[in-house]
Amino acid sequence: MICTDKQPNTLESIALASAESVQAAKVVRSPKKQPFDLLRPLRQWLDGIEISDRQMAERLAKAIPAQCPFERDIKLFGHKVGHIPPLCKLNPFYDQLVGLRFRALCYLVDQCGVDIQSYI
């Protein structure tokens, strides 16, 4: 046991001090406030769409592109002079639409037994 001028340093006192510091840390922390998201209800609605019809699944798979259609290379006389980057990530619903297309393709494969090579 190590002794100091003020109090003895025992395992019990160390455990008590660490337990008190953990309790103090729990009290000090406050949950982070999330910013207000105006588009959240629409995102939740898109995520909640159930695919229950083959025709609907085929329409969704055809309507939602597999790759960003805006990305282009600008060529002049066979030489690349510029590049337009993919702008789909700027769409606030991009992730929900990709997920919806994925669910439609999964429905076509799992429930209908359709070969989805034509949709890719």
Side-chain angles (χ1 to χ4, degrees), residues 34-69:
Q34 295 182 358
F36 180 70
D37 187 9
L38 188 64
L39 301 174
R40 185 175 183 195
L42 193 53
R43 284 189 185 114
Q44 289 177 339
W45 177 75
L46 284 170
D47 283 336
I49 293 177
E50 292 290 326
I51 310 295
S52 59
D53 181 1
R54 179 180 177 160
Q55 214 173 25
M56 182 173 121
E58 287 176 347
R59 286 182 185 160
L60 287 171
K62 287 179 183 176
I64 301 171
Q67 296 176 346
C68 189

Side-chain angles (χ1 to χ4, degrees), residues 4 55 63-65 82 84 93 109 115:
T4 61
Q55 214 173 25
I64 301 171
I84 299 173
F93 305 111
V109 169
D115 182 25

Side-chain angles (χ1 to χ4, degrees), residues 9-97:
N9 195 5
T10 64
L11 290 176
E12 294 171 2
S13 64
I14 293 172
L16 182 61
S18 65
E20 288 173 356
S21 65
V22 168
Q23 289 296 336
K26 286 182 181 177
V27 173
V28 172
R29 292 183 186 161
S30 63
K32 293 182 181 179
K33 290 185 179 181
Q34 295 182 358
F36 180 70
D37 187 9
L38 188 64
L39 301 174
R40 185 175 183 195
L42 193 53
R43 284 189 185 114
Q44 289 177 339
W45 177 75
L46 284 170
D47 283 336
I49 293 177
E50 292 290 326
I51 310 295
S52 59
D53 181 1
R54 179 180 177 160
Q55 214 173 25
M56 182 173 121
E58 287 176 347
R59 286 182 185 160
L60 287 171
K62 287 179 183 176
I64 301 171
Q67 296 176 346
C68 189
F70 305 113
E71 183 177 19
R72 298 274 188 261
D73 285 331
I74 301 171
K75 294 183 179 183
L76 186 63
F77 302 114
H79 297 285
K80 181 179 169 184
V81 294
H83 178 74
I84 299 173
L87 301 174
C88 292
K89 287 289 184 174
L90 298 177
N91 181 354
F93 305 111
Y94 176 76
D95 292 330
Q96 285 74 26
L97 291 172

Side-chain angles (χ1 to χ4, degrees), residues 98-115:
V98 169
L100 184 60
R101 182 177 195 276
F102 179 74
R103 289 195 310 271
L105 290 174
C106 287
Y107 179 83
L108 288 172
V109 169
D110 295 340
Q111 303 297 322
C112 304
V114 175
D115 182 25

